[in-house]
Amino acid sequence: MGFIREIVRNRYLYVLALPGLLFLIVFAYVPMAGHLIAFKQYRLADGIWGSKWIGFDNFKFFFMGSDWYKVTFNTIFLNGLFIVCGLGIALLLAIFLSEIQNALYKKIAQSLIFMPYFISWLVVSMMVFAFLNMTDGILNRTLAANGLDPKNWYLMPSIWPAVLTIVYVWKFAGYYSIIFLAAIAGISGEYYESARIDGATRFQQIIHITLPLIRNVVIVLALLGVGRIFYGDFGMIYGIVGDTAPLYPTTDVIDTYSYRALRQLGDFGKSSAVIMYQSVMGLVTIIIFNALAKRIDNDASLF
Amino acid sequence: MIFRKGLTVIAATVLLLVTAACGSNSNDAGNTASSNKSANEAISGTSSSQLDPITLKIVVPGDRPADMDTVIKEAESRMADTINVKLNLVFIPWSDLAQKTQVMLASGEDVDLIFDAPWLHLDQMISAGYYEPLEDLMDKYGQDAVKVRSDQMFDANKFQGHIYALPLGNTHLAGRTYLVRKDLREKYGLPPIQSYDDLIKFAYKVKENEKDIVPLLAYGQSGQKDVSWGAFRSFMEYDPQLLRSDALGQSLVLYYKNNDSKVYNLFDEMEPRVWSWIKDARKLYTDGLIHPDVLAIKDVDSVINSGKVAVATYNEFGVPSSISAALAQNAPGAELEAVTFIKMEKGKNITNFKQANFQAIPKVSKHKERAMMFLNWAADKDNYDLLAYGIEGNNYEKIGDDQYKQIGSGYSYFPYAWIWNPTTDRLNGGFDEESIKHYQFNKEASNLTPSILTGFSFDPTPVINEISLYNATEDKYYNSLFNGVTDPDATWTKFKKEAEGNAKKIQVELQKQIDSFLASKK
C-alpha cells in the first residue's frame, strides 16, 4: 500500500522520471534478452527465438586459444591504470582549480583542460603518431637533436600502457575534474571559515575538509569505472594502436582481440558470447567492489 | 629436374584440354542464350510501352554524389517510354554497410536491388534465403545484362549452384602495381623499371641520395596482408604462380600452385620462394629501405601523397588520379608511374574469376521483373555512360570508345556498386598506356587460365572456431614477417608454434571440400 501511496503523492516527480526510465528499459533492460544469442547459432532469418540452441559452442573460439587470459589481463590492467590515474589526476586538478582566486584565470584554465575531451580518437591517433613515429616524429627529432638515438616506439610494447594512460588522462582528466569541482563547490564555506579561525593552513584545509567531503563522489566514479573494467575502450585502443601487431602483447584487449578474430566472419553468436563474458565478469567485479566500498563507508556504495 | 618439368608440361596440357572442353561447353550455352534473346527482345519490344510507372528502391554503398539528382532525372526521362522506372537510390556509408543492409533485409524492408558481396555477407544472406535466384529473370528480361559479362563471370560466381546476384566487375584479374616516383628515377638517369631487381636498385639509389625520402612503403596493418612487401611479390612471380586459398583470404600460409587442386601449407613445408621473399624483406628493412613505421602507418595513401616515399605497393593497375593530384599539390615536380611485373601473356595468369561486388534482388521486392529490366537497360552503352560517369560535358568527357576523363567532382565514380561490367566500362584516360593495356587485356576472359577451382566456394562453418583463432594469431606475426620488421627465423618459429594446429585443421577441411567439389563436377 505504501508503494502506491508514495507514487500517488509524488506523481509529478515520477512523471518527470518517466522518460529516463523508459530509456533505460528500452536500451538497457530489454536488450539483456539479447544475451540469449550467445547460446545460439544465430541466423537473422530465423530470429532470436528460431535459431538453433547450441549451448556453449560460441564460447569455444575465445577460450580455446591461448590468448584469452592475456587479453583479459591487458583489459583489466589498462582499465585499472585509467581509473586510478584518470581519477587521481582529475582530483588534483579539481583541487588546484578550486584554489585559484582569479576568476578569469580559473575559467581559462578550466576550459583548456576540458578541451581535449572534445577531440575524437581518430584525431588523437594522428597526434600520437605524429609524436612517436620513427621517420619524423616530434619525440625522435628531439632525441636526435640532443644527440640521443631515436627509437622506434611502435616496436616497443612495454611503453604503451604508459602512452595510453597519458593520452587517457589528457583527454578525460578535465571532464572528471569538472564533476569534482561541482562537488567541491557544494561544500559549505562555513567549514573553511571556522578552520581558518582555528588557524588551519591551506594544505590542512584540503586534507581535512575538502578530501573527506568529496570522498563519496570519488568512490562512486571509481565504482562506475570498475563496472566497465572488462570492456576495453575500443574506440580509443583500436583508434590509437589500430592493427599494429608488435604492440599487441600489452595493448590487445578483449574487444580488439575479438574484433580481429571475428571481423571476416560476421558471427553474431560469437561476438555475443564475448560480450556475455565481459558483462558477467563486470557484474561480479562491481558486486565485489561495491561490497568493499560499503565496508569503508555505507553511503558511498552504489547499491 | 628436366623429367619433372616434362611432367608439369604434360599436366598443363591435360588441364588445358580439360578446361578447353569445359570452355566450349559454356560457349554453347552462351549461344543458345543469345538466340533466345533476340526472340525475347521482340516480345518485350511490343509490350514495353504499356508498363505502369513504378519506383525501384536501390541500395548502394558510399556517399550520394552532388549531381545524382540530375543524372536520375535524365535516366528516368530516357526510361519513360520503355521500362518506365523511377529510381530511388539509397546510399549507405561504407562503415554502416554491413549492419544496415542486414537489418534492412531482416526487417523485410521493401528493397528492389541491393548491393552485397562475399566480403560483406552475401553467402549468409543467400543461405538465409533473402535473395531471389536470377536465372529465370535473366533469361526473360536480362539478356543484355548477361551479354556484357563473360560466361566465366557467371559460372564462377554461383552460390549453391545458382546465380543469386549479378556479378559486378570490370576485369577478370585484380591489378597490382608498384607506384614509383618517376621524377626521382629520371633524376638519377635510370631507365624505366623492368624487373624487381631494377626496382631495388632504384630504391638503393634513393636511399643514398635523398635524406627525406623513404625508399619503400608497403602496408603493415593486419587487415591488409596481401599488400605487405614480401607477400605482394607473389602476384608478380610465375612458374608456378602461388595463389591464395579460399579459406584464408589474404594469407599465403595456405596456398595453391600448379592448378593441381591441392592445398599447400607453409607450416608443412616452407616454399623456398616465399622464404626468399621474407629474407629479402628483412634485408631491405634492416638496410633502412622499407619504411621504419610500416607497421604503424594506418593511412598509406596520405604518406604516398606527402611525397615522402619513392616506391609503394598498390592494389590496382595504374596510378589513381586522386593520388597523383594530391602528390602534385604537396610536392611540386613529383610524379608517379605505375610499374607492374604481371605478365600480359595469354594464359599466363590463373584466375578463379571470382568477383568482389554484386547486385542482388531481394525476395521481398514487388518489382523483380522491373529490377532486372533496369539492370538490362543499364547494360546499354549510352545508359551505362550516363549512370557511371554522369552527364556528358558536365561530369565527364568521352575519350574514344573505352576511356573517359572526369570533370570536376560533382559525380564521383561508383559503377562498381551497381552496374559495373567489363564490356561497357570506360577506363580512366589519365592512366598510362601500359596500365590501360593491362586492363584491356584482362577484360577478356579468354586471356586468362581458369583455375581448376573456378566455381568453388568454401563453407567455413565446420572450422569456424579454428579460423577465428587462426586469424587472431596470424595478425600478430604475418605483417612483421613479410615487411621484414622482425627476425624471420624467430618470428616464423613462434608463428608456427601457435598457429600450426589450427592451420592444419583448416587445410584438411578445405581439401575435403575441394575434393568433393571436383568429384561432383565430373
Side-chain angles (χ1 to χ4, degrees):
Chain A
M1 274 298 102
F3 177 68
I4 291 175
R5 197 178 301 149
E6 159 72 22
I7 289 191
V8 173
R9 186 181 296 155
N10 293 318
R11 54 188 175 275
Y12 295 113
L13 283 179
Y14 283 106
V15 169
L16 268 182
L18 202 61
L21 271 176
L22 273 178
F23 179 88
L24 275 181
I25 289 170
V26 173
F27 290 105
Y29 284 89
V30 174
M32 273 192 211
H35 277 311
L36 258 184
I37 295 177
F39 303 100
K40 298 210 157 195
Q41 190 175 2
Y42 182 63
R43 290 183 12 166
L44 264 174
D46 302 339
I48 294 183
W49 305 109
S51 297
K52 206 172 95 194
W53 181 271
I54 51 168
F56 282 91
D57 263 14
N58 283 329
F59 291 82
K60 271 191 193 150
F61 99 93
F62 188 67
F63 294 103
M64 222 164 64
S66 58
D67 286 327
W68 70 271
Y69 52 85
K70 271 187 227 157
V71 296
T72 305
F73 171 79
N74 284 342
T75 316
I76 298 174
F77 181 64
L78 285 175
N79 277 327
L81 278 177
F82 293 168
I83 294 171
V84 172
C85 298
L87 290 182
I89 290 177
L91 188 59
L92 275 180
L93 278 176
I95 291 170
F96 290 165
L97 283 172
S98 71
E99 297 292 327
I100 294 174
Q101 301 296 327
N102 183 330
L104 180 70
Y105 179 71
K106 185 175 171 179
K107 281 265 144 55
I108 292 174
Q110 209 175 321
S111 314
L112 282 180
I113 295 169
F114 192 36
M115 208 97 85
Y117 182 74
F118 296 104
I119 299 178
S120 88
W121 284 125
L122 196 71
V123 178
V124 174
S125 117
M126 288 174 181
M127 290 161 72
V128 172
F129 184 76
F131 197 73
L132 291 179
N133 79 69
M134 179 72 183
T135 12
D136 52 5
I138 298 171
L139 187 58
N140 277 328
R141 287 209 164 174
T142 316
L143 284 178
N146 290 307
L148 295 163
D149 279 341
K151 287 204 164 56
N152 201 336
W153 305 109
Y154 277 89
L155 296 182
M156 298 168 61
S158 54
I159 63 154
W160 280 80
V163 173
L164 291 176
T165 309
I166 291 169
V167 170
Y168 182 89
V169 168
W170 171 78
K171 195 160 161 29
F172 286 110
Y175 175 76
Y176 287 126
S177 74
I178 287 197
I179 300 178
F180 290 140
L181 259 183
I184 292 174
I187 299 172
S188 161
E190 287 169 15
Y191 291 116
Y192 295 104
E193 211 168 297
S194 44
R196 269 198 300 278
I197 291 169
D198 287 347
T201 60
R202 264 280 167 75
F203 188 67
Q204 281 170 325
Q205 289 174 29
I206 292 171
I207 298 285
H208 296 291
I209 300 172
T210 315
L211 283 183
L213 285 175
I214 61 168
R215 189 176 70 182
N216 285 0
V217 181
V218 179
I219 294 180
V220 166
L221 281 180
L223 277 178
L224 288 176
V226 166
R228 298 190 53 83
I229 204 164
F230 279 87
Y231 294 90
D233 188 335
F234 184 81
M236 168 187 188
I237 294 180
Y238 193 73
I240 294 178
V241 177
D243 280 326
T244 309
L247 303 183
Y248 289 162
T250 59
T251 61
D252 209 11
V253 293
I254 300 175
D255 300 76
T256 51
Y257 175 81
S258 344
Y259 170 72
R260 270 187 293 116
L262 299 175
R263 68 174 146 200
Q264 283 139 355
L265 299 175
D267 191 314
F268 280 75
K270 290 191 175 36
S271 25
S272 308
V274 174
I275 292 172
M276 176 103 193
Y277 167 64
Q278 291 176 311
S279 317
V280 170
M281 297 301 285
L283 184 67
V284 172
T285 27
I286 199 165
I287 285 173
I288 294 173
F289 276 84
N290 192 58
L292 283 178
K294 214 172 212 168
R295 276 235 173 128
I296 301 169
D297 182 347
N298 209 12
D299 296 331
S301 63
L302 279 179
F303 47 85
Chain B
M1 214 36 232
I2 292 167
F3 176 61
R4 274 183 60 196
K5 226 180 203 166
L7 264 187
T8 15
V9 171
I10 295 171
T13 7
V14 171
L15 265 179
L16 267 179
L17 287 175
V18 172
T19 44
C22 292
S24 63
N25 276 342
S26 49
N27 277 344
D28 287 350
N31 288 337
T32 44
S34 48
S35 55
N36 278 343
K37 166 194 141 35
S38 39
N40 275 314
E41 221 170 35
I43 298 167
S44 58
T46 50
S47 61
S48 56
S49 48
Q50 293 122 13
L51 290 171
D52 306 326
I54 55 120
T55 302
L56 289 179
K57 189 167 179 182
I58 306 176
V59 177
V60 291
D63 300 315
R64 196 180 184 86
D67 293 346
M68 192 71 233
D69 292 336
T70 342
V71 172
I72 288 181
K73 223 170 126 195
E74 170 65 20
E76 284 173 351
S77 78
R78 284 194 201 176
M79 290 187 283
D81 296 337
T82 51
I83 62 174
N84 211 356
V85 161
K86 300 245 177 295
L87 300 175
N88 172 19
L89 261 78
V90 181
F91 285 83
I92 298 179
W94 288 99
S95 51
D96 302 340
L97 189 60
Q99 257 182 350
K100 279 216 173 144
T101 49
Q102 209 159 20
V103 172
M104 272 181 164
L105 290 166
S107 62
E109 199 175 317
D110 193 2
V111 174
D112 301 300
L113 279 167
I114 192 165
F115 176 88
D116 208 335
W119 46 266
L120 203 63
H121 41 45
L122 185 57
D123 299 70
Q124 290 101 299
M125 294 300 125
I126 288 173
S127 57
Y130 284 122
Y131 295 144
E132 181 77 11
L134 299 183
E135 282 97 336
D136 287 347
L137 287 169
M138 287 195 311
D139 278 353
K140 278 194 205 135
Y141 310 106
Q143 303 89 357
D144 291 339
V146 172
K147 209 173 59 183
V148 293
R149 294 170 174 85
S150 67
D151 297 332
Q152 284 90 333
M153 239 168 137
F154 286 105
D155 291 343
N157 293 295
K158 281 186 179 161
F159 297 86
Q160 300 150 3
H162 289 284
I163 296 164
Y164 279 99
L166 194 68
L168 307 173
N170 68 344
T171 171
H172 292 98
L173 185 75
R176 314 276 173 176
T177 301
Y178 293 102
L179 301 179
V180 175
R181 280 286 292 277
K182 189 179 175 195
D183 54 313
L184 292 179
R185 176 177 66 74
E186 283 169 348
K187 188 172 150 194
Y188 310 135
L190 293 171
I193 291 166
Q194 302 287 346
S195 67
Y196 183 75
D197 292 338
D198 289 355
L199 189 73
I200 298 304
K201 228 179 279 167
F202 167 66
Y204 274 100
K205 255 309 200 268
V206 173
K207 177 80 190 161
E208 278 164 35
N209 294 297
E210 310 286 334
K211 224 177 74 197
D212 291 330
I213 295 183
V214 182
L216 308 174
L217 178 62
Y219 289 72
Q221 298 272 300
S222 40
Q224 297 152 317
K225 298 193 189 88
D226 52 340
V227 232
S228 57
W229 189 263
F232 192 68
R233 295 180 62 187
S234 67
F235 298 116
M236 307 196 181
E237 292 204 10
Y238 296 85
D239 308 310
Q241 245 182 332
L242 304 187
L243 301 172
R244 285 156 173 76
S245 75
D246 290 289
L248 294 183
Q250 301 183 336
S251 165
L252 262 181
V253 168
L254 297 185
Y255 61 101
Y256 310 133
K257 63 177 175 183
N258 301 330
N259 215 353
D260 63 2
S261 81
K262 265 231 284 287
V263 183
Y264 294 84
N265 183 340
L266 283 183
F267 292 131
D268 285 352
E269 196 191 336
M270 179 43 96
E271 180 87 21
R273 211 142 35 108
V274 174
W275 191 244
S276 76
W277 296 335
I278 294 173
K279 288 281 214 198
D280 174 60
R282 177 64 180 164
K283 181 165 183 299
L284 295 173
Y285 184 83
T286 44
D287 283 357
L289 267 71
I290 291 180
H291 204 298
D293 292 317
V294 59
L295 297 186
I297 293 172
K298 295 192 197 84
D299 185 0
V300 170
D301 283 8
S302 72
V303 183
I304 304 175
N305 291 346
S306 72
K308 285 182 184 157
V309 289
V311 180
T313 55
Y314 203 78
N315 258 348
E316 289 290 333
F317 288 122
V319 182
S321 36
S322 58
I323 291 188
S324 48
L327 179 68
Q329 212 168 44
N330 293 332
E335 198 189 331
L336 287 171
E337 60 184 351
V339 171
T340 182
F341 311 126
I342 291 183
K343 291 193 179 157
M344 231 190 297
E345 239 173 85
K346 201 174 164 89
K348 198 73 189 170
N349 289 294
I350 301 173
T351 175
N352 59 12
F353 298 103
K354 281 250 155 70
Q355 293 296 333
N357 303 323
F358 291 85
Q359 192 67 244
I361 301 180
K363 277 233 164 78
V364 293
S365 161
K366 293 188 191 77
H367 312 295
K368 298 189 185 80
E369 294 82 10
R370 294 294 192 86
M372 183 51 77
M373 284 182 203
F374 168 73
L375 290 175
N376 201 51
W377 178 86
D380 175 77
K381 181 90 179 165
D382 285 335
N383 301 334
Y384 184 89
D385 279 346
L386 173 70
L387 297 179
Y389 312 107
I391 309 282
E392 191 180 357
N394 273 346
N395 302 114
Y396 79 104
E397 245 170 61
K398 285 181 187 169
I399 306 178
D401 244 3
D402 57 356
Q403 287 173 38
Y404 77 100
K405 187 171 161 265
Q406 194 179 337
I407 304 172
S409 54
Y411 198 68
S412 46
Y413 181 84
F414 72 105
Y416 53 81
W418 57 328
I419 51 177
W420 229 13
N421 71 67
T423 312
T424 54
D425 193 53
R426 288 169 183 274
L427 292 170
N428 180 349
F431 284 154
D432 60 300
E433 247 174 75
E434 194 63 17
S435 303
I436 285 179
K437 264 192 224 156
H438 271 286
Y439 272 114
Q440 285 167 344
F441 183 79
N442 292 310
K443 271 182 177 191
E444 200 55 59
S446 61
N447 282 336
L448 299 154
T449 302
S451 157
I452 186 169
L453 298 177
T454 300
F456 171 72
S457 60
F458 178 66
D459 170 19
T461 330
V463 283
I464 199 141
N465 285 329
E466 283 79 7
I467 291 183
S468 56
L469 281 172
Y470 177 83
N471 284 340
T473 317
E474 187 181 68
D475 284 354
K476 288 195 279 189
Y477 304 109
Y478 195 89
N479 274 348
S480 346
L481 199 63
F482 280 97
N483 284 314
V485 180
T486 49
D487 175 63
D489 293 292
T491 314
W492 183 255
T493 317
K494 258 194 273 172
F495 180 22
K496 185 172 175 174
K497 202 179 122 213
E498 283 181 48
E500 195 176 11
N502 290 322
K504 191 79 213 168
K505 280 184 204 151
I506 300 166
Q507 180 197 5
V508 170
E509 177 63 30
L510 175 59
Q511 187 70 63
K512 200 177 97 192
Q513 293 188 19
I514 286 177
D515 291 344
S516 69
F517 164 78
L518 291 174
S520 71
K521 230 168 83 168
K522 270 171 200 161

